[in-house]
Amino acid sequence: MIASDANDVMPKPPHGCQLYEAWMTSFEQPDASLLVEHMLPSLLRTNHSLSQDLQERNLFFGELGTALERLRDRLTVISSPSLGDRTNARYPWLWRYVSHFSVGSKGRAVQHAKLWAFHWKPADGQAEGNEVLELFVSSTNLTFSAFRNQLQAICKLTIPLADRYSQARQRTWGILIPFLEALGVSAGTVALSRLKPLISLLGRAECPSDITFVASIPGRDSAARQLAKFQPSEIHIVTPTIGEWDQKSVSAWAAEVGVGLDKIHLKWVSEDHPCASSSGWSVSKPTADVLKSSISFERLPSDARFTREHEEGDERWSHAKLYLLRGKKRKLRHLLVTSANWSTSAWGAGFVKPKNFELGVLLETDWTDLEKVGTGFGSGAVCFTSHEDRHKPENTLLQWAEGSWDGKCIKLQARSSDARTPINALVSFADEGEERRIQLVNGTASIRWNNATRTPLTARFAQQGESMEINVLDLRPISEFAKTPLPEVDPADEQNLRLGFLLQRYSGQVVDYELISRLRSKTEPKSDAASSADYTVPTWIEARAAFNLLDTWRKALEDAVADASRHERVRMDGEELQSYFASRDGPGDGLVAEEFGWRLNGEP
């Protein structure tokens, strides 16, 4: 449950399946390097590695780029806004393919949930493979530090999907549905449209009966009340960050959960605990004093281990947020794996509403380790308290921004708590020397732009010394987006790389440079060692492979008939494949090209 290595939690396609759509949330800004170098290659099951060898590097980015093209508008990341100027990150082109949104379009909000949702479908040409939805709920941000420097708690659900939607099935997911709806509204109109397919998918599967989602939505009722129906007799908590509590708020939270103050067991660290050296663990001294006098404030031993892989000397610190509920009527326990630290911002308390989007999964468990650890802070142990003055996003003016480009016009939007002071925007492009400045009027602005070579990448909004930087959404039609050069590849190789990976998609033959060198030849080269009579079988095999490729494409076109954008993409593939086979003189090539033409014209 607690991940000790990135490979333990890096998602991979189920057998016989390919990624159809993905949604991910993060508190911190998503790290493009993590996605490009690790997560996306794993999700897409690519064949090549990021190497110093130029040819292998071209193959890596060619395969990744062509795969991402097919998933454009289907890869969504939602995070909190990026306050201040971002440092120059690698792979800025990634955000052409992955749509990145931030919350706050309707009011102040913090996106702190960590949800990954992956929709898998049978791979093209695969007879095996079920359509499934995978959900990962955890404490893991989309950053390298989350994987390399921290221990995380994660819950994974794999849900087979029925053929049809049902409202009754959708209702079984409880608070998860309004959580996703509110998250989409907060992140803007485009983000909401991207989340609707996920909400609809939840109507094609029932939530497991032993699973309950627990969520916080900014401005809504306290999420603590969602725990009360489990009638806990006591609750044990370990989280790395403790918010500001006073006697009134902590009493209100306990009452909403339905436990006495002395039945709240908070596991915390002393100054000599390894986690105390991390900037991630924090509680203020005033809050620590309140908690020591009101709840069961217990010292977490330095040698406490919740996973076998977490060995002595391991320098990673725990970023997991765990709440263990012990039932009243019987020895039943529920464990909440969540993104929520113990704070009123995360949970709410009394009249204080939550400020964060948070998400967790509550499941039955026989795990009791969290109950067993913890002793009082005696005279020999000094409670660790932090003195860090954390930046408070509620004190900022700029609260949300968005930029999009449809191939003709760049549209900018921003929301601020100060409507009278001008907001300026600076748009940067793929050509690093290109920039455009403009002032927003009533929170909006637009720039005419139709250059498909120098695509807009980022927009930085500034107001009264504050700034917020966002990635510009690329909303061009599929046919226009296809004109964008592949990222990070040698331009001389791009045409052959595109063709090679198109053939790989429908034939299954892994692309290498030997194959690429043969793509534009009229026929396959013949070995000098063989006589003409020896080519009967190879010729038949070659023709058979071409017709098998056509059959795979035809089935993919039929499967995509209900999805307009996917159907258009597969149809474009067919046009390119028809052109390729028409240019060749090999056995059967003309017939294959002719049949592609029939299928493209709608003939049976």
Side-chain angles (χ1 to χ4, degrees):
M1 180 186 60
I2 297 181
S4 61
D5 186 88
N7 291 328
D8 293 340
V9 294
M10 201 63 73
K12 298 176 177 62
H15 177 69
C17 290
Q18 64 188 10
L19 185 66
Y20 186 72
E21 204 159 8
W23 304 264
M24 293 179 281
T25 64
S26 179
F27 168 62
E28 298 182 63
Q29 293 295 293
D31 190 327
S33 294
L34 173 72
L35 294 174
V36 168
E37 297 172 8
H38 298 279
M39 183 168 282
L40 289 170
S42 178
L43 286 169
L44 300 172
R45 198 188 274 126
T46 55
N47 296 287
H48 299 281
S49 60
L50 185 56
S51 169
Q52 295 298 319
D53 178 79
L54 181 58
Q55 288 191 348
E56 180 66 12
R57 181 182 176 86
N58 275 342
L59 290 170
F60 173 82
F61 282 109
E63 184 175 22
L64 182 64
T66 53
L68 289 174
E69 272 189 3
R70 308 188 66 83
L71 289 169
R72 194 180 71 96
D73 296 342
R74 299 181 186 276
L75 301 175
T76 299
V77 174
I78 302 178
S79 70
S80 286
S82 175
L83 302 176
D85 295 341
R86 295 186 299 191
T87 57
N88 291 329
R90 299 184 68 188
Y91 314 124
W93 49 262
L94 175 65
W95 310 113
R96 297 185 194 128
Y97 307 93
V98 179
S99 299
H100 179 205
F101 304 91
S102 60
V103 295
S105 69
K106 302 300 182 183
R108 293 188 187 276
V110 173
Q111 199 312 107
H112 198 258
K114 285 83 174 174
L115 168 68
W116 305 340
F118 304 113
H119 181 192
W120 303 102
K121 284 191 172 184
D124 292 338
Q126 292 286 333
E128 300 180 18
N130 297 317
E131 190 175 0
V132 299
L133 177 66
E134 280 189 336
L135 299 176
F136 293 73
V137 178
S138 73
S139 54
T140 313
N141 287 302
L142 294 173
T143 63
F144 266 122
S145 61
F147 286 85
R148 289 176 173 171
N149 303 326
Q150 301 166 14
L151 293 173
Q152 310 289 355
I154 188 165
C155 179
K156 174 185 173 183
L157 305 177
T158 302
I159 314 293
L161 293 173
D163 292 334
R164 295 187 178 183
Y165 166 89
S166 160
Q167 281 190 346
R169 279 194 290 260
Q170 190 180 69
R171 284 194 292 269
T172 65
W173 295 93
I175 190 65
L176 180 59
I177 302 299
F179 169 84
L180 291 171
E181 292 172 340
L183 182 66
V185 169
S186 184
T189 304
V190 179
L192 179 59
S193 70
R194 300 288 173 82
L195 283 176
K196 283 183 177 179
L198 173 57
I199 296 170
S200 180
L201 283 178
L202 294 172
R204 293 175 54 192
E206 289 190 7
C207 180
S209 59
D210 58 346
I211 291 291
T212 302
F213 282 85
V214 175
S216 295
I217 301 173
R220 304 280 182 93
D221 289 339
S222 167
R225 297 174 184 172
Q226 298 171 41
L227 303 181
K229 68 178 183 178
F230 294 92
Q231 299 182 318
S233 61
E234 58 186 50
I235 183 168
H236 297 259
I237 303 171
V238 58
T239 75
T241 302
I242 308 301
E244 298 301 316
W245 294 93
D246 56 26
Q247 191 63 50
K248 182 179 179 181
S249 59
V250 75
S251 296
W253 192 88
E256 287 166 347
V257 175
V259 297
L261 284 171
D262 62 333
K263 299 300 182 181
I264 298 176
H265 301 263
L266 177 63
K267 317 296 178 171
W268 194 244
V269 296
S270 59
E271 288 185 342
D272 61 354
H273 193 282
C275 285
S277 62
S278 165
S279 60
W281 280 62
S282 65
V283 64
S284 69
K285 187 177 187 307
T287 291
D289 291 341
V290 168
L291 297 180
K292 283 189 285 187
S293 64
S294 57
I295 67 170
S296 183
F297 197 73
E298 300 174 358
R299 182 168 67 92
L300 188 66
S302 297
D303 59 355
R305 298 288 182 269
F306 298 138
T307 177
R308 287 176 297 177
E309 290 84 357
H310 190 199
E311 300 175 350
E312 190 71 31
D314 192 333
E315 295 183 355
R316 289 170 298 174
W317 56 277
S318 175
H319 188 251
K321 298 97 165 51
L322 300 174
Y323 297 72
L324 184 63
L325 283 62
R326 185 168 184 173
K328 288 180 179 177
K329 296 183 178 179
R330 53 195 176 106
K331 293 182 178 179
L332 178 65
R333 293 172 177 81
H334 288 87
L335 178 66
L336 177 64
V337 178
T338 180
S339 62
N341 288 300
W342 197 41
S343 68
T344 56
S345 294
W347 288 92
F351 294 107
V352 179
K353 305 295 186 183
K355 298 177 181 178
N356 302 356
F357 285 99
E358 307 277 5
L359 186 65
V361 171
L362 195 71
L363 60 155
E364 293 183 15
T365 184
D366 57 3
W367 183 67
T368 61
D369 290 12
L370 196 57
E371 286 184 21
K372 297 174 181 177
V373 300
T375 58
F377 280 93
S379 58
V382 179
C383 170
F384 167 72
T385 56
S386 60
H387 304 284
E388 182 182 359
D389 183 15
R390 290 178 174 259
H391 179 61
K392 301 292 185 182
E394 60 265 28
N395 296 330
T396 63
L397 299 177
L398 287 171
Q399 298 173 21
W400 175 80
E402 182 180 273
S404 63
W405 179 53
D406 63 2
K408 299 176 181 178
C409 182
I410 302 168
K411 296 181 179 179
L412 305 172
Q413 302 179 71
R415 196 179 69 79
S416 169
S417 60
D418 180 1
R420 295 172 298 178
T421 304
I423 300 174
N424 296 302
L426 175 67
V427 180
S428 299
F429 297 81
D431 180 348
E432 295 182 358
E434 191 80 48
E435 291 183 336
R436 288 289 187 275
R437 297 179 184 273
I438 193 169
Q439 186 175 107
L440 277 64
V441 177
N442 296 325
T444 65
S446 62
I447 302 171
R448 294 185 63 83
W449 191 263
N450 59 7
N451 191 321
T453 303
R454 295 197 296 273
T455 58
L457 294 180
T458 64
R460 182 170 63 85
F461 298 82
Q463 183 186 40
Q464 286 192 1
E466 292 184 5
S467 64
M468 178 181 292
E469 189 169 324
I470 55 95
N471 300 307
V472 176
L473 302 170
D474 192 327
L475 303 181
R476 287 177 292 167
I478 292 173
S479 57
E480 291 299 313
F481 187 86
K483 300 174 184 177
T484 306
L486 287 176
E488 309 255 350
V489 303
D490 186 339
D493 284 342
E494 180 178 354
Q495 187 177 11
N496 281 351
L497 284 168
R498 282 188 178 279
L499 178 56
F501 287 113
L502 177 60
L503 292 169
Q504 175 179 295
R505 180 171 186 83
Y506 295 105
S507 72
Q509 183 178 2
V510 176
V511 173
D512 57 22
Y513 264 82
E514 182 180 351
L515 173 64
I516 286 176
S517 67
R518 304 197 308 261
L519 286 178
R520 295 299 175 182
S521 64
K522 291 288 186 180
T523 59
E524 291 292 322
K526 296 180 173 61
S527 168
D528 293 337
S531 67
S532 59
D534 294 330
Y535 293 108
T536 304
V537 172
T539 295
W540 180 84
I541 292 174
E542 181 184 335
R544 180 66 177 269
F547 278 102
N548 285 342
L549 181 149
L550 186 147
D551 288 341
T552 301
W553 170 83
R554 178 174 53 81
K555 185 177 185 304
L557 188 68
E558 293 171 353
D559 291 344
V561 70
D563 186 327
S565 63
R566 187 183 178 206
H567 192 267
E568 182 180 356
R569 166 55 66 185
V570 177
R571 182 178 178 83
M572 288 170 59
D573 290 345
E575 292 169 351
E576 178 67 20
L577 290 168
Q578 180 194 30
S579 176
Y580 168 67
F581 284 105
S583 71
R584 292 172 56 82
D585 298 330
D589 286 336
L591 292 175
V592 172
E594 189 176 62
E595 187 163 345
F596 265 111
W598 294 338
R599 300 296 181 182
L600 288 166
N601 290 327
E603 298 180 27

